[in-house]
């Protein structure tokens, strides 16, 4: 018996179909797909209760600005802040645009959100953090692993997801490494000697076989290393060192960018190193550098 795939597809929830579209056609990351699908599911659940009917793509074409205001009000009752509300509105707008490509979308101005500047940490703090994480590891090879991962974030500017998905095939290392970034875009990143040495030291100590097409960094039981484990280790280390809550793995990437810019790096070159699709994403670091200079000025100048 032949199954009509179109009929089967139409029976799936719109949120699931949208998630498939984002992953397959838009090549969005796993984290983005998960977050956007969750937002779509929350919206359709709200509309199910609000309208008392099952939501499909045809029903979504009737969503108005008043419906979206009601939805955001409902979400705010559950403690949603301005920044989260803006992200939620962006996600559901994309969902509605996908569901009804020919229909005019309801217009609703999102909450105003002041864009915060990245919070880098000093080179000394970055090194101290990585050393503390490595020293606290339960086994020497795990310490070598965590040291290598954190040096990739601070010394090469990788996102944590990019570092943890590096395949064993990058060995033996050269002066650069090819990184798979957001939206499946690849870029070439230089490796400092210290970063190469850290990766090679881990590779020499890991008890698990390094295979060309599997993740280089392994968890304690041999599976792919989860970013949760690195974030947890950093959280514990910053508490021991008395560092602020903004000292996260991603802050090491911010520090990489800010310190390079402070030493005269070209903005376009920095954009390539970070894998930013838009130069505006990189330009925010010029504000960070200026803010740092003002802090130094105020603390050091006798008339400041």
């Amino acid at each position: 018996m032949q199954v009509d795939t179109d009929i089967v597809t139409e029976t799936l929830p719109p949120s699931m179909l949208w998630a498939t579209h984002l992953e397959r056609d838009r090549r969005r990351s796993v984290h983005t797909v998960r977050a956007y699908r969750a937002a779509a599911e929350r919206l359709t659940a709200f509309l199910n209760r609000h309208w008392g009917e099952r939501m499909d793509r045809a029903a979504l074409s009737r969503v108005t600005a008043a419906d979206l205001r009601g939805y955001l009000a409902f979400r705010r009752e559950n403690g949603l802040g301005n920044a989260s509300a803006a992200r939620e509105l962006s996600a559901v707008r994309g969902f509605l645009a996908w569901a009804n490509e020919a229909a005019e979308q309801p217009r609703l101005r999102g909450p105003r959100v002041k864009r915060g500047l990245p919070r880098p940490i000093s080179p000394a703090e970055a090194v101290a953090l990585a050393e503390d994480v490595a020293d606290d590891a339960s086994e020497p090879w795990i310490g070598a692993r965590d040291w290598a991962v954190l040096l990739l974030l601070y010394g090469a500017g990788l996102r944590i997801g990019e570092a943890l998905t590096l395949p064993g095939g990058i060995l033996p290392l050269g002066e650069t490494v090819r990184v798979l970034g957001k939206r499946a875009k690849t870029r070439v990143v230089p490796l400092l000697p210290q970063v190469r040495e850290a990766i090679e030291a881990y590779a020499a100590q890991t008890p698990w076989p390094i295979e060309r097409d599997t993740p280089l960094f392994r968890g304690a039981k041999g599976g792919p290393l989860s970013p949760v484990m690195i974030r947890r280790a950093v959280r514990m280390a910053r508490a021991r060192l008395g560092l602020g809550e903004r000292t996260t793995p991603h802050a090491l990437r911010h520090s990489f960018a800010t310190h390079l810019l402070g030493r005269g790096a070209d903005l376009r070159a920095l954009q390539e190193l970070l894998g930013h699709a838009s130069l505006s994403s990189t330009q925010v670091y010029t504000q960070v550098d200026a803010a740092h200079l003002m802090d130094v000025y105020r603390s050091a100048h006798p008339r400041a």
Side-chain angles (χ1 to χ4, degrees):
M1 178 180 176
Q2 186 173 1
V3 178
D4 190 331
T5 55
D6 290 337
I7 294 176
V8 173
T9 298
E10 286 302 318
T11 63
L12 295 175
S15 58
M16 185 179 296
L17 296 174
W18 189 46
T20 300
H21 164 71
L22 291 174
E23 181 178 9
R24 182 188 60 200
D25 303 327
R26 301 292 300 278
R27 301 172 72 181
R28 296 300 179 90
S29 72
V30 173
H31 301 293
T32 297
V33 172
R34 184 185 301 121
Y36 277 35
R37 177 178 175 177
E41 289 173 344
R42 287 191 291 267
L43 176 66
T44 52
F46 170 81
L47 293 172
N48 282 337
R49 295 190 298 269
H50 186 55
W51 290 356
E53 63 178 272
R54 179 179 175 273
M55 298 304 300
D56 55 19
R57 291 184 71 163
L60 289 169
S61 67
R62 305 199 307 272
V63 174
T64 66
D67 294 322
L68 289 183
R69 280 194 292 269
Y71 172 67
L72 288 180
F74 166 74
R75 294 283 287 134
R76 284 184 179 280
E77 289 175 0
N78 294 309
L80 197 71
N82 273 1
S84 297
R87 288 193 297 269
E88 188 90 354
L89 181 58
S90 175
V92 298
R93 276 174 170 165
F95 174 52
L96 294 174
W98 162 84
N100 306 281
E101 293 176 347
E104 183 177 354
Q105 299 304 309
R107 296 185 177 183
L108 178 63
R109 180 174 295 178
R112 299 184 66 178
V113 179
K114 183 178 180 181
R115 186 176 182 182
L117 295 179
R119 296 292 183 91
I121 60 178
S122 71
E125 289 173 333
V127 173
L129 182 73
E131 287 179 340
D132 191 89
V133 169
D135 290 344
D136 192 60
S138 58
E139 297 184 45
W141 78 268
I142 293 178
R145 178 200 69 189
D146 293 350
W147 172 255
V149 169
L150 294 177
L151 282 198
L152 276 167
L153 307 188
Y154 177 62
L158 270 60
R159 301 176 178 94
I160 187 170
E162 294 170 344
L164 299 190
T165 53
L166 286 173
I170 69 169
L171 299 176
L173 294 171
E175 294 186 351
T176 62
V177 65
R178 188 172 295 274
V179 176
L180 182 64
K182 286 187 174 181
R183 303 186 185 181
K185 292 184 178 180
T186 60
R187 67 185 189 277
V188 176
V189 177
L191 289 179
L192 294 170
Q194 298 92 325
V195 178
R196 292 202 301 271
E197 291 169 6
I199 296 172
E200 289 165 351
Y202 157 73
Q205 296 179 56
T206 177
W208 307 106
I210 296 177
E211 300 173 353
R212 180 174 182 81
D213 297 322
T214 58
L216 172 65
F217 295 109
R218 302 290 192 90
K221 296 182 179 180
L225 177 60
S226 168
V228 172
M229 302 305 296
I230 297 297
R231 292 190 181 103
R232 181 183 301 166
V234 167
R235 186 167 61 248
M236 296 172 66
R238 78 185 181 211
R240 290 190 295 267
L241 296 171
L243 300 176
E245 291 185 359
R246 289 182 178 269
T247 305
T248 63
H250 204 66
L252 294 175
R253 173 174 155 91
H254 291 323
S255 301
F256 165 84
T258 305
H259 300 159
L260 278 185
L261 194 63
R263 289 178 174 268
D266 176 75
L267 202 58
R268 286 287 184 185
L270 185 57
Q271 178 189 2
E272 291 294 325
L273 287 174
L274 294 173
H276 284 161
S278 169
L279 185 62
S280 63
S281 299
T282 314
Q283 285 173 329
V284 68
Y285 291 107
T286 63
Q287 301 176 50
V288 175
D289 195 51
H292 173 68
L293 289 174
M294 287 303 297
D295 286 342
V296 172
Y297 171 79
R298 293 191 183 100
S299 62
H301 197 284
R303 296 184 177 274

